[in-house]
Amino acid sequence: MRSGTETYERRSDAERALSLIEAQIIRGEWTDPDRGKVKVKDYAETWISQRPGLRPRTVDLYRWLLKKHITPSLGNVAVGKLSTAMVRQWRADLLGNGVSISVAAKAYRLLRAVLMTAAEEGHIIQRNPCRIRGAGDEQAGERPVLTVDQVFDLADRVGRRPIGNVRKLSTGSYRLRYQRNGEMRTHPETFATRGAADGALWKLGMDGRADCTQDRRFRALVLLATFASLRWGEVSALRRTDVDLDAGTVRIRAAFIERSTGGLVLGPPKSKAGRRTVGIPKAIVPALRDHLKIYVKDGPDALMFPGAKGGPLRRSGFNTRTRWVDVVKEMGLPGLHFHDLRHTGNMLAAESGAGLKDLMARMGHDNVRAAMIYQHAVRGADKAITDAIDRRLGEREDEEGDGMAGAMVPAG
């Protein structure tokens, strides 16, 4: 038994109010005012911890958004007291304080999902107060699509290293020595920081004024990630047994996930459709064969692309060892992300003329119909895509001025 929140002058008014409450209970629309007193922060934390199927990085993102952008303003508000006006003001304050549209949209979508559960499953509020049109939308930035020649150029550049060394002097400055035509030389200047000296050595190598070594261990990684449309977590988790060069296929079974705490977790691919087998263009098979022979340990479970100490390759380690930021800047592609290689591969696949279902199967994208998850089992369609990419690779020397050069296409 519960007491109503109001009192009435006449018995008939109280009975009418009771009838309305009983009708709400019968329709399943009644909300418990006591349960609505739970704080937004507490309810959201429980929601995140109890949400089934969330990937570790998604959990990390949700907890960060809650702590950073939701709790400071709305955390102590009772769920039952939250209104659309309060949500609208909260979002306006986020944007006014310099939070990007993308992050604000992510925070809004999280709050909306939490309150949707409160309304539809928990029945502690009558309706979701997150009703701001477009607040959860974020504009996907246009990402570059590389030409085939640019991909091969990038694959060659990521292993180049100028030969030299940097030493700290007793004065606190740094001296640079570099090799040119097989002879070690001392740079005429000293540098205030090690970073400045490293940058000067890199520029000498890129300008041809210093000899360079060529480490090709990452060449196959760049080529395979691009032309098989693989995500970073997928390509870094590949094992020797996943690559069948005789059949010309690569099997994606798992992916590494890097937590915000720095830990690596081996789990399933990003989506159910991420478990797939993808054709490898013939033009890059020789590079993969050489890579297996030189850089991959024996044994079926040996990592295809191991880190410096033989363990999983981290993205930060890859970026540092390849000087990714410097390389793409030198190529005239500043800001290029590793994920843009997958985007490039997806665009090449789309140009094959394959149907939407076959493209989604190759890319590892989910669809509402479960049958499409395993669309990759139809080898004929995937082979057509692979052959089309092969033709593009075979024509790359005749594609000077190809219309794709420098094109900007929204990333899906």
Side-chain angles (χ1 to χ4, degrees), residues 54-344:
L54 291 182
R55 291 170 64 83
R57 287 193 64 174
T58 303
V59 173
D60 291 344
L61 172 63
Y62 283 175
R63 286 177 174 162
W64 178 80
L65 289 170
L66 178 63
K67 179 180 179 180
K68 181 75 174 179
H69 297 301
I70 298 177
T71 295
S73 297
L74 302 177
N76 289 322
V77 178
V79 172
K81 297 293 185 181
L82 203 57
S83 67
T84 299
M86 294 171 67
V87 173
R88 191 183 303 278
Q89 185 61 53
W90 161 73
R91 177 176 177 269
D93 290 341
L94 286 183
L95 297 174
N97 291 330
V99 176
S100 68
I101 293 177
S102 176
V103 172
K106 287 181 173 66
Y108 178 84
R109 290 200 302 270
L110 172 59
L111 181 63
R112 182 176 61 191
V114 169
L115 296 178
M116 187 63 70
T117 300
E120 297 186 354
E121 297 179 20
H123 299 292
I124 62 176
I125 53 176
Q126 290 190 355
R127 72 172 191 168
N128 193 336
C130 291
R131 310 178 70 83
I132 305 171
R133 189 182 299 275
D137 299 338
E138 47 183 315
Q139 296 293 327
E142 293 185 333
R143 302 306 310 164
V145 176
L146 279 64
T147 64
V148 170
D149 281 341
Q150 283 176 322
V151 174
F152 276 88
D153 185 23
L154 175 62
D156 289 331
R157 285 175 181 254
V158 291
R160 290 180 61 187
R161 285 287 182 281
I163 301 174
N165 58 71
V166 176
R167 293 186 179 179
K168 188 173 184 178
L169 303 176
S170 59
T171 59
S173 59
Y174 291 85
R175 182 184 67 185
L176 167 62
R177 285 177 57 79
Y178 61 97
Q179 180 178 299
R180 184 172 184 182
N181 299 326
E183 178 185 346
M184 291 300 293
R185 306 185 181 193
T186 301
H187 196 280
E189 301 177 27
T190 58
F191 301 88
T193 65
R194 180 177 291 276
D198 285 336
L201 177 59
W202 176 262
K203 186 166 179 59
L204 288 171
M206 296 305 101
D207 292 345
R209 291 178 289 159
D211 297 339
C212 290
T213 60
Q214 188 73 26
D215 183 354
R216 302 175 75 81
R217 71 180 62 246
F218 297 119
R219 185 172 188 269
L221 186 152
V222 170
L223 296 177
L224 184 62
T226 303
F227 299 122
S229 295
L230 303 183
R231 302 175 176 95
W232 170 264
E234 295 170 348
V235 74
S236 62
L238 289 177
R239 309 281 173 167
R240 177 184 278 273
T241 188
D242 295 322
V243 180
D244 187 341
L245 297 184
D246 293 331
T249 60
V250 57
R251 179 179 52 171
I252 296 89
R253 299 179 298 154
F256 277 116
I257 302 167
E258 189 164 357
R259 303 291 299 269
S260 59
T261 56
L264 276 181
V265 178
L266 182 64
K270 186 175 182 179
S271 63
K272 291 182 180 179
R275 296 182 185 272
R276 64 200 188 278
T277 298
V278 178
I280 301 172
K282 295 176 183 177
I284 69 170
V285 168
L288 292 170
R289 204 176 294 280
D290 290 343
H291 179 86
L292 282 166
K293 183 189 300 184
I294 299 171
Y295 301 111
V296 183
K297 294 180 180 179
D298 294 332
D301 288 333
L303 284 168
M304 187 74 179
F305 302 104
K309 297 182 180 179
L313 178 65
R314 292 176 177 269
R315 193 180 314 214
S316 57
F318 170 81
N319 290 339
T320 299
R321 293 175 67 187
T322 61
R323 294 191 69 121
W324 178 271
V325 173
D326 294 321
V327 167
V328 297
K329 184 178 180 180
E330 193 74 24
M331 290 180 63
L333 298 166
L336 183 79
H337 300 160
F338 185 90
H339 194 73
D340 294 327
L341 302 182
R342 170 175 158 84
H343 183 44
T344 295

